[in-house]
Amino acid sequence: MPLVHIDLIEGRSTDQLRNLVKDVTSAVSKNTGAPAEHIHIVLNEMRPDRYSDGGILRSDEK
């Protein structure tokens, strides 16, 4: 049972996330041989004020 964790800054649409998990599921299945129904994906959407690049909050980068 492959388990994939994906961390993202929030802001993508449901359609974008739907397409992401579809494509990731396909890639994992192709490369591991696991059936799609056994692949689990956890999406963790972070608020921009809870993520930092180089000591600067993403919410401050405008």
Side-chain angles (χ1 to χ4, degrees):
M1 170 185 90
L3 176 60
V4 179
H5 290 263
I6 301 174
D7 294 321
L8 303 159
I9 299 295
E10 66 183 10
R12 287 158 182 86
S13 70
T14 300
D15 282 339
Q16 287 174 310
L17 296 174
R18 187 176 289 117
N19 289 331
L20 174 63
V21 298
K22 181 180 175 186
D23 290 348
V24 170
T25 298
S26 178
V28 171
S29 180
K30 175 184 172 188
N31 289 287
T32 67
E37 60 272 13
H38 292 170
I39 298 168
H40 301 266
I41 299 174
V42 177
L43 299 176
N44 180 33
E45 291 188 283
M46 298 171 287
R47 294 180 4 200
D49 63 346
R50 300 292 187 260
Y51 183 80
S52 167
D53 283 321
I56 300 170
L57 289 175
R58 270 294 168 96
S59 59
D60 293 338
E61 294 178 349
K62 292 189 179 188

